[in-house]
Amino acid sequence: MHVIIIGSGPAGVSAALYARRGGADVTVISKGAGGLTTAEWVENYYGFAEPISGAELEQRGIAGAERLGVRFETDEVLAVLPVEEGRGFRLEAACRTYAADAVILAAGASRKTLSIPGLRDFEGRGVSYCAICDAFFYRGKKVAVIGAGDYALHEAEILRPHAAQLSLLTNGEEPSVAISDGIAVQTQKIVRIEGARRVQHIVFDDETGMDVDGIFMAIGTAGSMELARKLGVVLSDGKIAVGKHMETNVPGVYAAGDCTGGLLQIAKAVYEGAEAGLAAVQYLRKQ
Ligand SMILES: Cc1cc2nc3c(=O)[nH]c(=O)nc-3n(C[C@H](O)[C@H](O)[C@H](O)COP(=O)(O)OP(=O)(O)OC[C@H]3O[C@@H](n4cnc5c(N)ncnc54)[C@H](O)[C@@H]3O)c2cc1C
């Protein structure tokens, strides 16, 4: 009974406590500090007579979960995929692959995008945030991935067998990973995205350009919504849609915290994490 939780913020750690106390083997995978660590002082959370820094509150939460036997891994999850012809999930991450019987998405709310003129206008019309979902539509086409790290390379590798021409556009950054052969890298800053009904052209800051049929956004790391999309989890108003026990539409996948929307506060993240941790254990007991 192995539960993997993505995210070591209040939602993920609360889910870990409840799943562990419920008898599961629990691993939390986190790429590092979450939103809470940027809070200088927290003074609206239960149990503290004096304000506490967000960073200290988060560390105390992690220490408490470690004491109960929760394992913490520092890694960046790139995709969560159902195991073919079997039960459970495979998590592809920057350092290694993990196997889980149930997964709790608690990776916060941030969605990495860029404010390039034209980008938002073409979302769903050539601009995609999910290679696994949409690669098939770009068979034999010219495709660009925007990003410079592990996540961008992961998306490019999914597109590679489908696209006729594949480019990685780093938008002014140096690539932080070794780029495989067959993927052209362009490092100029992007100033504009153009098209008529669909995306057609990208303009760079040196006034050169590139014709494209599709653009895949993969800036920074995959957030909760990107991971959810790849799994076929339904979103509602840009957040993960959950039932009253934090279950998603995909059996064995739960979500908690800022990624489900509503009140973006610690108290709500902790409550939802508790529900998700308990529900994941109950689900696994019935399998
Ligand atoms: C400046 C600031 C001040 C705040 N002050 C308060 C306050 O005073 N009181 C209050 O109640 N709330 C406050 N909040 C809100 C509170 O911090 C959030 O509601 C809460 O942290 C949400 O918890 P979470 O677990 O859902 O997400 P987060 O705390 O954001 O944690 C997300 C976790 O997911 C991990 N992660 C993300 N993507 C990946 C990936 N691909 N692979 C692996 N790991 C990943 C991150 O590293 C992180 O560990 C504040 C927020 C900010 C930004």
Side-chain angles (χ1 to χ4, degrees), residues 55-76:
E56 188 181 348
L57 186 56
E58 185 155 301
Q59 275 316 309
R60 287 198 195 187
I62 291 170
E66 278 176 333
R67 191 178 62 81
L68 290 186
V70 172
R71 267 191 311 276
F72 284 81
E73 297 277 355
T74 303
D75 207 343
E76 177 190 332

Side-chain angles (χ1 to χ4, degrees), residues 19 41 57 63 95 113 155 163 206 222 232 243 274 286:
W41 297 114
L57 186 56
C95 299
T113 190
E155 294 295 89
D206 57 6
K286 288 187 198 142

Side-chain angles (χ1 to χ4, degrees), residues 6-184:
I6 306 170
S8 62
V13 171
S14 172
L17 291 172
Y18 279 78
R20 182 75 192 130
R21 288 291 295 266
D25 187 16
V26 181
T27 304
V28 175
I29 306 175
S30 169
K31 67 180 174 60
L36 181 56
T37 54
T38 58
E40 194 176 359
W41 297 114
V42 174
E43 51 187 354
N44 59 356
Y45 187 60
Y46 175 81
F48 295 90
E50 298 297 326
I52 180 167
S53 77
E56 188 181 348
L57 186 56
E58 185 155 301
Q59 275 316 309
R60 287 198 195 187
I62 291 170
E66 278 176 333
R67 191 178 62 81
L68 290 186
V70 172
R71 267 191 311 276
F72 284 81
E73 297 277 355
T74 303
D75 207 343
E76 177 190 332
V77 179
L78 306 168
V80 184
L81 304 165
V83 174
E84 281 164 29
E85 294 171 17
R87 216 164 46 83
F89 304 90
R90 189 177 85 245
L91 285 84
E92 292 177 356
C95 299
R96 49 169 282 218
T97 301
Y98 302 80
D101 300 308
V103 173
I104 300 174
L105 301 170
S110 66
R111 169 179 160 171
K112 310 275 183 344
T113 190
L114 295 170
S115 53
I116 302 169
L119 185 71
R120 299 297 302 267
D121 303 335
F122 292 108
E123 280 179 2
R125 294 188 297 130
V127 172
S128 169
Y129 289 82
C130 178
I132 288 175
C133 319
D134 294 339
F136 189 72
F137 301 119
Y138 293 91
R139 291 183 317 276
K141 307 249 167 145
K142 291 181 202 149
V143 178
V145 175
I146 302 183
D150 279 307
Y151 180 43
L153 183 61
H154 181 267
E155 294 295 89
E157 292 294 355
I158 291 167
L159 289 158
R160 185 208 283 269
H162 302 276
Q165 189 182 305
L166 181 58
S167 306
L168 187 75
L169 312 183
T170 68
N171 193 38
E173 284 183 44
E174 278 310 308
S176 62
V177 285
I179 308 300
S180 342
D181 291 344
I183 303 174

